[in-house]
Amino acid sequence: MTAGRFAPSPTGELHVGNLRTAIVAWLFARSTGRQFLLRVEDLDRVRAGAEEAQLAELTAVGLAWDGEVTRQSDRQAHYDDAVTRLRRADHLFECFCTRRDIAEAASAPHVLPGHYPGTCRNLSEAEREAARRV
């Protein structure tokens, strides 16, 4: 049976929108007989004490999760393995686009928001080397 999950990022106080998401995920998991798992996304800049405060706030509103809290940083080997498999399958490439480049490409008519246009996908090694020097 699959599980419901909530994945907060401890960069500050628990945002009301994140609390709402946690409650909805918890309610759905519990109402369908599933586990409710908590995975902390701690790969970004984490503010000291924020994780503990967020977990305490979730507990204070009556949310309980099943099992231990999982942290992304504890699973780095899994991510490294995934990147290695993607690289071996030639599905990985460097992208030199700025966020602005991608946003502007995605603003073209008939393109879904956030769509990556593949700008860097087929660059030659010489073009990649030139882009790295910029």
Side-chain angles (χ1 to χ4, degrees):
M1 182 176 289
T2 59
R5 68 141 180 101
F6 176 62
S9 181
T11 57
E13 295 179 10
L14 186 64
H15 184 276
V16 70
N18 287 343
L19 179 58
R20 178 197 155 283
T21 299
I23 291 169
V24 169
W26 181 85
L27 285 169
F28 180 75
R30 293 298 185 241
S31 70
T32 58
R34 300 170 191 212
Q35 290 186 321
F36 178 68
L37 305 177
L38 194 64
R39 185 193 76 209
V40 176
E41 296 186 354
D42 63 342
L43 297 180
D44 291 328
R45 285 186 282 182
V46 174
R47 199 166 90 196
E51 178 183 332
E52 294 78 13
Q54 288 186 9
L55 298 180
E57 291 166 349
L58 293 171
T59 301
V61 297
L63 299 186
W65 46 92
D66 299 297
E68 296 293 317
V69 173
T70 302
R71 289 169 188 81
Q72 277 187 303
S73 60
D74 294 338
R75 299 179 50 81
Q76 188 64 48
H78 296 284
Y79 306 132
D80 292 342
D81 180 56
V83 168
T84 298
R85 286 184 282 128
L86 289 168
R87 183 173 284 119
R88 285 183 185 149
D90 201 29
H91 295 306
L92 190 67
F93 58 90
E94 292 176 272
C95 178
F96 302 98
C97 297
T98 65
R99 290 178 189 223
R100 173 181 269 166
D101 294 336
I102 293 171
E104 288 173 358
S107 67
H110 311 295
V111 175
L112 296 173
H115 172 76
Y116 174 67
T119 307
C120 299
R121 182 177 294 129
N122 297 315
L123 293 178
S124 68
E125 188 54 38
E127 290 169 318
R128 285 189 187 99
E129 281 298 323
R132 286 183 196 116
R133 283 186 246 126
V134 174

